[in-house]
Amino acid sequence: MSQVKQVGLLAAGCQPWNKDVCAASGDRFAYCATLAIYVYQLDHRYNEFKLRAIMSEHKKTITAISWCPHNPDMFASASADNLVIIWNVAEQKVVARLDSTKGMPASLSWCWNSGDAVAFVSHRGPLYIWTISGADSGVAVHKEAHSFLSDICLFRWHPRKKGKVVFGHTDGSLSIFQPGCKSQKHVLRPESLEGTDEEDPVTALEWDPLSTDYLLVANLHNGIRLVDSESLSCITTFSFPSAAASVQCLAWVPTAPGMFITGDSQVGVLRVWNVSKTTPIDNFKLKKTGFHALHVLNSPPKKKTFLAQSPTKNHHISSTSEAVPPPTLTQNQAFSLPPGHAVCCFMDGGVGLYDMGAKKWDFLRDLGHIETIFDCKFKPDDPNLLATASFDGTIKVWDINTLTAVYTSPGNEGVIYSLSWAPGDLNCIAGATSRNGGFIWDVKKGKMITRFNEHGKNGIFCISWSHKDSKRIATCSGDGFCIIRTIDGKILHKYKHPSAVFGCDWSQNNKDMIATGCEDKNVRVYYLATSSDQPLKVFTGHTAKVFHVRWSPLREGILCSGSDDGTVRIWDYTQDACINVLSGHTAPVRGLMWNTEIPYLLISGSWDYTIRVWDTRDGTCLDTVYDHGADVYGLTCHPNRPFTMASCSRDSTVRLWSLTPLISPLQINILADRPWEEIIGNTDRAMEPGAPPLLCGKVSRDIKQEVDKLSNNLRSKKLRWFSECLSPPGGSKNLWDLVAVLKGQDDSLLPQNYCKGIMHMRHLVRFKTSKAQELTTVKMSKFGGGIGAPSKEERLKEAAEIHLRLGQIQRYCELLVELGEWDKALSVAPGVSMKYWKKLMQRRASQLIEEENDDVIPYCIATGDVKKLVNFFTSRGQLKEALLVAQAACEGNIQSNHASVTAVSPTDGNNIEDYNELLHRVSAELAEWYFQDGRAVLAACCHLAVDNIELAMANLIRGNELELAVCVGTVIGEGAAQATQYALELLARKCMTVTTW
């Protein structure tokens, strides 16, 4: 098992070029990027969708995916290299493969009602049916579905009528086949196209689940029709609010008969329709970019059942007989809001699960690369930001703590091969493209500010902004030139090479030195301070083209190069020699990165899908990482956390890694408070063969300088600073902030972003209060009451008015409740008694809880029913909300109004004890949520936030964060002594198994 540990993953977006790229079954949904399939599953405990599997076996673009209708673990996918794969999703393994299908399987679907058979078709047919197992296994051709006159866009089997299938064509027509009936080819073209050669492709096609013959068809320009496949007639033509709207995808809503939804192709508008109306009932604008695919989950996610603390009766009986509240939705609303969840895929790669009833996202990955990611770089002055450059024509900037996209470059630049951040805080990125030259993008302003066209239409493979002289930018291109220019475009040098130049890198020690990698198998070094256009040095030795070159940040004159010959070579500029050859990759080498603290540590990425970590002193490979599903192109080191790196790949993902396990002896020396010379050294000492790892970089030097300035608290500060340097991002800073609070640090010293993480209980309410004051705009929530048929409604209203005039307020209130006018009833209820008002409030709260309606919150808070509200939030997985309410109650902000109107002291002893227990319970649940998600450090933060040191330490130990546990425990001192001792014992055992000892 590799020692390098994956600590973060940025999943790819959904590809926008093929039709059937998303599918759903039960509580799972899947979508595919270009080369990999992502499967999400509902975690019933926390009621949220989590990534369960990434399945990557295809080497070329995936063309379609399909879920088996009668076996939720079976799944099929097809790709452009004439391959169909059957997967077992639960085990994430390939069950069967069909290689060299005749023609590319452009569309694919399981055959309904026929065991294990998958059908696929290429442009004009025929339809092939592959029976996977049993006596009839093999590929057969459908007897009639062949020799079409127009390309097939997609096809759909009828879910109930055995063997019935429909094809949609690019000319706008349909072809329908069913056993025992005459086949109908190229029928039902939109009327406006009859007699013309115009094309209007079928973009969506779905059988009506309640009929054997009805079918919904969408054409790109002619909109949606409901057609009858028997009489070949059009029943309804649906019309759009604007002529500009066109449909990209549609889906029936299984839980609401006659209802379907559509997604627009230009803008992300979701429209809700009923077959009985020709215009949409409702429209939601979900995103700026257009839809690509839609799928409605058959069974909406089951919410956790809500357990009330006290048993409640369903019907109320009293002297005035309490009213049974009406159903929550008016007929008009019930019409417009199907209770369902739609998997939505967008043209920009975004993927989400939209709850149509609640009008909110249950899950949304707003942006994702949909193609190969060629390069990735951390921002020098804010390493929480990582930029990526992709084949899909965009650069995206990600927040690595939340793994979400923060910025995306405007427009589409074609293929982007390389990127380089501007030095310091300039907030610009230089990008290099395959056909459109180079550019500088101002990230904050969101626009391109400069373009470089000196290479013409030739591809620029690498762009590098000098960090020693911020005015200079280098590019190298397929035209054989490496060009150095100023940022305003003035050319300083043009270095001609015999053939294409793929890589260049500025020396980190000499601002006038640059190295290049060329197709002629050579590495060259140029010196800019002379006017000569000849290289100072040419290094020969590679047996195939050289791609990237990288200067060592710690050893002057040392550089490495990666080549298509599968090796990495280390060159010594001062000796004019190759001092080592690193062999092990089985394909061309692309990614290259020196570690910025350990001078001999080098990392490489290759087309063999692996990342290798090398000890360049003797050329041994220390570790190999096999997690990427395709070629590894880019590697980058975190500026402040030198043992955290990111990689990017043709599998369209970015992954974050921790290299810390490779230097465990060093960690032990820090924990054991060994002398400085066993932790920090110079490069000569560190490079001695067999010497233990020593830190030689800027980050460790800065820590030593800061520690040397201190007069007290040396040990704890040293442990904290080294712990943050060695830990990956994702909670360690938050943990140390909480430790500082526990140790009594002044609140004014807390960092600015403390309030964005997990806060200590004594700050939670205070910070949230000030945040509320900042938010001066308040959104009012719409209120929906349930109203019956108008005639009955009128009668009840009249009766209510009479009761009111007779002074019978309680009866008036009950009739209003029956009418669904809760607010009116509640505003008058205190006229009966406070006890009755509270009871009515509780009934309203119970009803809203059953409906899972957020409007329940004010009712619970007004009646002081903290437990009910905390349970409500917990049941929906809204643990942070539950925590906030519990903390507010502990501080006496939510008063429990007892039935009598006499004031009760808010700090009533029993209540506070109950609330404290509640607070700890919710904290523990939130911690468990983080822990189950693989984030043990944040789980520990949750326990520390409520002063539970014991459980915080237990979480770190359970999560195998032993070094961090020892550091934190040592700093906390007495309160954590026992757990620290246990962590030390475990760490000692772990060290005994490490081979370097």
Side-chain angles (χ1 to χ4, degrees):
M1 199 175 123
S2 71
Q3 288 176 276
V4 174
K5 185 171 145 194
Q6 185 172 314
V7 291
L9 167 80
L10 275 168
C14 183
Q15 56 148 302
W17 23 78
N18 289 304
K19 288 302 293 181
D20 292 319
V21 290
C22 84
S25 171
D27 61 0
R28 291 191 274 214
F29 70 87
Y31 69 87
C32 58
T34 311
L35 295 171
I37 300 156
Y38 290 78
V39 181
Y40 282 79
Q41 186 163 9
L42 181 68
D43 179 336
H44 290 274
R45 179 170 178 187
Y46 297 110
N47 195 41
E48 62 181 351
F49 279 84
K50 287 189 174 164
L51 181 60
R52 279 282 173 258
I54 301 177
M55 305 189 303
S56 57
E57 191 72 20
H58 292 284
K59 303 291 180 276
K60 290 279 175 69
T61 303
I62 296 169
T63 51
I65 59 175
S66 176
W67 220 300
C68 181
H70 44 266
N71 180 351
D73 283 341
M74 295 287 271
F75 187 92
S77 58
S79 59
D81 51 358
N82 299 1
L83 171 68
V84 177
I85 294 179
I86 310 297
W87 303 84
N88 179 319
V89 178
E91 295 173 17
Q92 296 178 43
K93 69 177 191 188
V94 175
V95 178
R97 290 171 67 103
L98 182 66
D99 288 292
S100 62
T101 58
K102 296 181 182 72
M104 184 183 79
S107 199
L108 161 104
S109 169
W110 287 86
C111 306
W112 286 74
N113 323 81
S114 69
D116 291 338
V118 172
F120 55 90
V121 67
S122 56
H123 307 297
R124 295 208 171 176
L127 179 69
Y128 292 101
I129 295 170
W130 173 30
T131 306
I132 298 146
S133 55
D136 302 327
S137 64
V139 181
V141 178
H142 192 284
K143 290 184 180 65
E144 294 154 321
H146 53 78
S147 314
F148 294 107
L149 304 174
S150 169
D151 281 0
I152 294 161
C153 305
L154 70 168
F155 72 98
R156 292 288 181 264
W157 293 99
H158 198 289
R160 294 202 319 241
K161 205 161 186 182
K162 190 168 181 179
K164 188 169 185 175
V165 62
V166 60
F167 295 83
H169 298 278
T170 50
D171 68 354
S173 67
L174 303 179
S175 298
I176 301 157
F177 303 92
Q178 64 174 322
C181 297
K182 181 175 179 285
S183 58
Q184 304 289 345
K185 277 191 183 175
H186 301 292
V187 293
L188 289 166
R189 266 186 102 194
E191 279 176 19
S192 61
L193 295 178
E194 288 302 339
T196 71
D197 291 339
E198 281 180 49
E199 299 227 318
D200 184 13
V202 173
T203 55
L205 197 58
E206 298 295 341
W207 291 104
D208 182 340
L210 298 177
S211 148
T212 51
D213 305 320
Y214 288 3
L215 178 68
L216 266 180
V217 189
N219 292 74
L220 187 60
H221 307 299
N222 274 282
I224 314 167
R225 296 168 295 154
L226 181 67
V227 299
D228 182 337
S229 62
E230 287 295 307
S231 65
L232 300 183
S233 58
C234 175
I235 300 158
T236 315
T237 301
F238 298 91
S239 42
F240 280 82
S242 108
S246 62
V247 174
Q248 177 64 25
C249 46
L250 62 82
W252 290 96
V253 181
T255 49
M259 199 162 279
F260 64 95
I261 54 172
T262 62
D264 282 21
S265 60
Q266 300 301 315
V267 182
V269 177
L270 182 75
R271 303 184 194 275
V272 181
W273 308 73
N274 192 290
V275 285
S276 58
K277 281 184 78 172
T278 58
T279 53
I281 300 160
D282 219 333
N283 307 285
F284 312 126
K285 186 174 175 184
L286 302 186
K287 253 170 90 80
K288 285 180 183 161
T289 40
F291 269 89
H292 175 60
L294 259 183
H295 210 104
V296 176
L297 290 184
N298 287 337
S299 50
K302 304 270 191 296
K303 300 285 184 188
K304 258 171 74 173
T305 48
F306 173 75
L307 300 170
Q309 291 304 96
S310 54
T312 52
K313 288 178 290 202
N314 285 343
H315 44 86
H316 311 276
I317 298 164
S318 78
S319 56
T320 53
S321 89
E322 290 182 355
V324 177
T328 173
L329 297 173
T330 62
Q331 283 199 322
N332 189 38
Q333 277 178 311
F335 204 35
S336 68
L337 296 176
H341 287 70
V343 180
C344 306
C345 302
F346 297 92
M347 294 305 284
D348 64 358
V351 181
L353 188 71
Y354 190 70
D355 181 335
M356 293 180 283
K359 293 191 181 177
K360 68 180 178 62
W361 289 107
D362 265 2
F363 158 89
L364 177 65
R365 281 207 62 254
D366 200 14
L367 294 163
H369 282 299
I370 46 186
E371 256 290 3
T372 301
I373 304 173
F374 284 117
D375 201 2
C376 58
K377 296 274 178 7
F378 283 105
K379 190 170 193 294
D381 68 314
D382 180 4
N384 288 321
L385 297 180
L386 174 76
T388 51
S390 168
F391 188 97
D392 65 20
T394 63
I395 291 179
K396 289 179 170 46
V397 178
W398 308 84
D399 178 327
I400 58 163
N401 294 307
T402 56
L403 298 178
T404 52
V406 195
Y407 305 103
T408 183
S409 59
N412 188 313
E413 295 291 330
V415 177
I416 304 181
Y417 283 134
S418 172
L419 69 88
S420 184
W421 282 98
D425 58 357
L426 289 175
N427 281 321
C428 289
I429 292 176
T433 72
S434 62
R435 294 183 63 75
N436 300 318
F439 59 82
I440 297 178
W441 167 39
D442 185 316
V443 178
K444 289 279 163 66
K445 288 182 184 161
K447 60 183 186 188
M448 302 298 177
I449 52 174
T450 310
R451 289 192 179 272
F452 306 123
N453 301 310
E454 307 93 340
H455 297 285
K457 286 285 177 195
N458 294 294
I460 301 177
F461 296 107
C462 183
I463 191 160
S464 185
W465 201 318
S466 168
H467 280 225
K468 293 266 182 213
D469 179 350
S470 61
K471 292 190 182 69
R472 299 196 292 202
I473 292 178
T475 53
C476 42
S477 161
D479 63 6
F481 282 101
C482 172
I483 295 180
I484 319 289
R485 89 257 309 131
T486 59
I487 44 176
D488 50 14
K490 181 187 166 202
I491 292 183
L492 302 174
H493 295 275
K494 278 183 86 167
Y495 295 125
K496 176 86 177 100
H497 292 64
S499 48
V501 196
F502 294 110
C504 62
D505 192 44
W506 293 96
S507 163
Q508 306 203 23
N509 298 304
N510 184 333
K511 72 179 176 60
D512 291 321
M513 209 172 261
I514 192 167
T516 63
C518 180
E519 193 171 18
D520 72 351
K521 311 173 194 173
N522 293 337
V523 174
R524 290 172 174 78
V525 177
Y526 291 90
Y527 189 55
L528 277 70
T530 66
S531 56
S532 165
D533 60 358
Q534 293 304 305
L536 268 186
K537 297 271 163 91
V538 180
F539 293 113
T540 58
H542 280 297
T543 56
K545 78 177 181 217
V546 178
F547 213 86
H548 284 307
V549 285
R550 291 283 180 269
W551 290 94
S552 165
L554 299 171
R555 298 162 63 205
E556 201 161 341
I558 300 292
L559 75 154
C560 68
S561 57
S563 161
D564 278 18
D565 63 16
T567 67
V568 177
R569 284 179 174 256
I570 316 293
W571 312 91
D572 186 335
Y573 174 83
T574 56
Q575 294 179 25
D576 282 6
C578 171
I579 53 174
N580 221 325
V581 180
L582 311 177
S583 304
H585 284 299
T586 56
V589 178
R590 287 298 175 261
L592 278 180
M593 183 195 99
W594 289 98
N595 183 265
T596 53
E597 283 288 338
I598 309 278
Y600 57 77
L601 218 52
L602 178 72
I603 297 95
S604 61
S606 162
W607 280 8
D608 64 11
Y609 302 12
T610 68
I611 295 171
R612 284 177 178 262
V613 183
W614 306 90
D615 180 336
T616 56
R617 294 175 299 187
D618 56 8
T620 51
C621 177
L622 299 175
D623 204 5
T624 308
V625 180
Y626 296 91
D627 297 42
H628 272 297
D631 319 344
V632 180
Y633 277 102
L635 297 169
T636 177
C637 185
H638 192 292
N640 299 355
R641 298 173 184 265
F643 297 98
T644 296
M645 73 167 182
S647 62
C648 61
S649 158
R650 191 166 64 93
D651 69 7
S652 311
T653 66
V654 175
R655 294 168 195 248
L656 294 175
W657 310 90
S658 172
L659 302 173
T660 313
L662 294 169
I663 52 151
S664 55
L666 200 57
Q667 273 186 297
I668 303 301
N669 287 346
I670 293 165
L671 289 175
D673 212 11
R674 305 290 298 163
W676 279 117
E677 56 266 24
E678 293 184 32
I679 298 167
I680 289 178
N682 61 31
T683 49
D684 291 344
R685 268 185 59 213
M687 288 302 295
E688 285 170 14
L694 286 173
L695 300 174
C696 307
K698 183 180 182 307
V699 177
S700 57
R701 267 204 318 278
D702 288 352
I703 292 175
K704 183 176 186 303
Q705 266 177 348
E706 289 303 312
V707 171
D708 289 345
K709 286 181 199 166
L710 296 173
S711 52
N712 61 353
N713 229 352
L714 269 136
R715 177 96 203 273
S716 57
K717 279 282 198 289
K718 183 176 168 184
L719 283 174
R720 172 175 184 164
W721 290 334
F722 272 117
S723 165
E724 286 188 6
C725 153
L726 298 175
S727 303
S732 63
K733 190 161 184 1
N734 197 160
L735 184 71
W736 282 109
D737 286 338
L738 288 165
V739 170
V741 172
L742 281 183
K743 296 294 287 177
Q745 175 190 286
D746 192 301
D747 287 355
S748 63
L749 297 173
L750 285 168
Q752 230 179 339
N753 58 359
Y754 168 68
C755 58
K756 289 184 181 163
I758 295 164
M759 289 179 274
H760 190 269
M761 59 181 174
R762 72 163 181 253
H763 300 134
L764 188 60
V765 172
R766 196 173 81 216
F767 272 100
K768 292 285 184 188
T769 306
S770 61
K771 186 181 173 188
Q773 284 162 349
E774 279 170 37
L775 298 167
T776 48
T777 53
V778 177
K779 287 183 181 172
M780 299 296 287
S781 63
K782 286 180 186 164
F783 199 86
I787 301 162
S791 57
K792 182 183 174 192
E793 183 186 312
E794 293 305 322
R795 283 206 316 276
L796 288 177
K797 269 187 181 163
E798 201 177 326
E801 293 302 325
I802 296 166
H803 280 298
L804 184 63
R805 283 155 182 71
L806 293 172
Q808 294 166 349
I809 302 175
Q810 189 167 348
R811 192 72 199 110
Y812 170 74
C813 289
E814 291 297 337
L815 285 169
L816 286 181
V817 165
E818 203 167 328
L819 284 162
E821 295 190 20
W822 280 97
D823 281 8
K824 243 187 207 176
L826 287 164
S827 62
V828 179
V832 181
S833 70
M834 283 306 283
K835 185 177 179 180
Y836 174 67
W837 169 80
K838 186 177 180 191
K839 202 169 173 194
L840 203 56
M841 288 283 278
Q842 286 168 336
R843 281 167 53 196
R844 177 63 174 146
S846 299
Q847 187 202 5
L848 288 169
I849 276 174
E850 261 177 54
E851 293 166 12
E852 297 189 16
N853 189 326
D854 285 345
D855 291 340
V856 69
I857 302 164
Y859 296 95
C860 288
I861 288 181
T863 53
D865 207 336
V866 176
K867 284 186 181 171
K868 184 180 274 185
L869 188 53
V870 165
N871 281 327
F872 170 68
F873 279 136
T874 309
S875 71
R876 291 160 48 120
Q878 290 174 286
L879 298 174
K880 289 173 185 169
E881 303 281 334
L883 193 66
L884 187 55
V885 170
Q887 180 62 36
C890 283
E891 294 185 22
N893 295 348
I894 300 175
Q895 301 186 12
S896 178
N897 296 316
H898 288 256
S900 61
V901 194
T902 53
V904 176
S905 153
T907 50
D908 179 357
N910 280 344
N911 269 346
I912 290 300
E913 227 166 87
D914 280 359
Y915 294 157
N916 256 319
E917 193 184 316
L918 205 56
L919 180 68
H920 279 76
R921 196 189 85 204
V922 177
S923 280
E925 187 140 358
L926 185 59
E928 186 60 16
W929 176 78
Y930 277 123
F931 194 85
Q932 293 298 333
D933 204 36
R935 295 184 280 177
V937 180
L938 287 174
C941 289
C942 294
H943 290 303
L944 273 192
V946 292
D947 291 344
N948 197 329
I949 295 168
E950 191 181 336
L951 283 177
M953 292 293 286
N955 269 165
L956 290 175
I957 293 168
R958 259 177 78 203
N960 201 20
E961 298 283 352
L962 299 179
E963 293 85 355
L964 192 54
V966 173
C967 286
V968 167
T970 308
V971 173
I972 290 174
E974 194 51 44
Q978 202 177 347
T980 310
Q981 187 59 38
Y982 180 51
L984 274 168
E985 285 173 23
L986 291 173
L987 192 55
R989 280 186 217 162
K990 185 171 153 185
C991 292
M992 287 161 74
T993 64
V994 174
T995 48
T996 50
W997 288 73

